[in-house]
Amino acid sequence: MEPAGCGADRHDGADWTLVLGGVRSGKSRHAEALVTACPGPWTYIATGRAWDDEMRRRIAHHRAARIPGWHTVEEPLDLSAALDWAGGMPVLVDCLTLWLTNLILDDRDVAAATEGLLQALWRRPAPTVLVGNEVGLGIVPETPLGRRFRDEAGWLHQAIARDARRVMFVVAGLPLTVKDG
């Protein structure tokens, strides 16, 4: 299997990979490796917002760990515009669940944003790797907001996975192929 579909025959507008896993599972590291297996330069679309000191440290850690050659776009809400901006560069979106959090907290239409994301993915002329936290394997959240987030994340990941060329699940740093082709 080609890492991120970098072959010339793979640029048909449907070449995206979804990488799921738990927190600190190694999913971002694996996703970065998939993208950097393609010729650079690469675009890193970061969706996280620095809400507090802990999140600022996480963001700084991610930035420091990146190898040279990345163009970073910080876009917490409009993923479709960021994907269009990246043009023919291979793209990493990290991460879908932070993007979803931003949409919910800003009271945005999640279904419309998801549809816009899917349309942008179909337009892409280059490989795209999307990272998401698998949150549906844990306990049922206590609050209505937590339950809504869990449900929305599951629906978002299903929508992305349905048309993705590849889906991977990372456990303890080990990537497992769920879908290939």
Side-chain angles (χ1 to χ4, degrees):
M1 174 177 80
E2 270 179 12
C6 297
D9 63 330
R10 294 299 188 113
H11 299 274
D12 60 359
D15 186 17
W16 66 84
T17 300
L18 176 60
V19 179
L20 296 170
V23 174
R24 297 290 185 231
S25 63
K27 63 191 174 302
S28 293
R29 182 175 50 249
H30 181 69
E32 288 178 14
L34 291 175
V35 174
T36 58
C38 297
W42 318 285
T43 297
Y44 194 113
I45 301 175
T47 62
R49 287 178 169 166
W51 297 105
D52 56 28
D53 287 340
E54 188 265 343
M55 191 61 177
R56 280 187 272 287
R57 285 191 298 275
R58 283 178 180 263
I59 291 169
H61 171 76
H62 271 270
R63 282 182 187 145
R66 280 183 220 141
I67 63 171
W70 287 98
H71 296 281
T72 300
V73 176
E74 294 184 5
E75 182 47 65
L77 295 167
D78 196 352
L79 278 185
S80 58
L83 287 168
D84 288 342
W85 175 89
M89 286 186 276
V91 167
L92 171 62
V93 174
D94 197 359
C95 85
L96 290 172
T97 41
L98 286 174
W99 175 67
L100 177 62
T101 298
N102 297 332
L103 293 174
I104 291 171
L105 293 178
D106 282 13
D107 200 26
R108 301 288 180 106
D109 184 336
V110 173
T114 300
E115 182 57 31
L117 171 58
L118 288 167
Q119 292 303 315
L121 288 168
W122 280 106
R123 287 191 300 270
R124 295 256 322 126
T128 306
V129 178
L130 303 108
V131 175
N133 287 293
E134 177 50 64
V135 298
L137 298 174
I139 62 172
V140 176
E142 259 185 54
T143 66
L145 179 61
R147 289 188 295 276
R148 177 182 176 210
F149 173 78
R150 180 210 47 201
D151 292 347
E152 294 280 5
W155 295 323
L156 171 63
H157 293 152
Q158 286 181 56
I160 300 296
R162 179 184 57 242
D163 294 330
R165 191 169 303 229
R166 283 164 303 283
V167 178
M168 316 219 43
F169 188 69
V170 180
V171 179
L174 303 172
L176 306 171
T177 300
V178 177
K179 176 182 177 182
D180 186 13

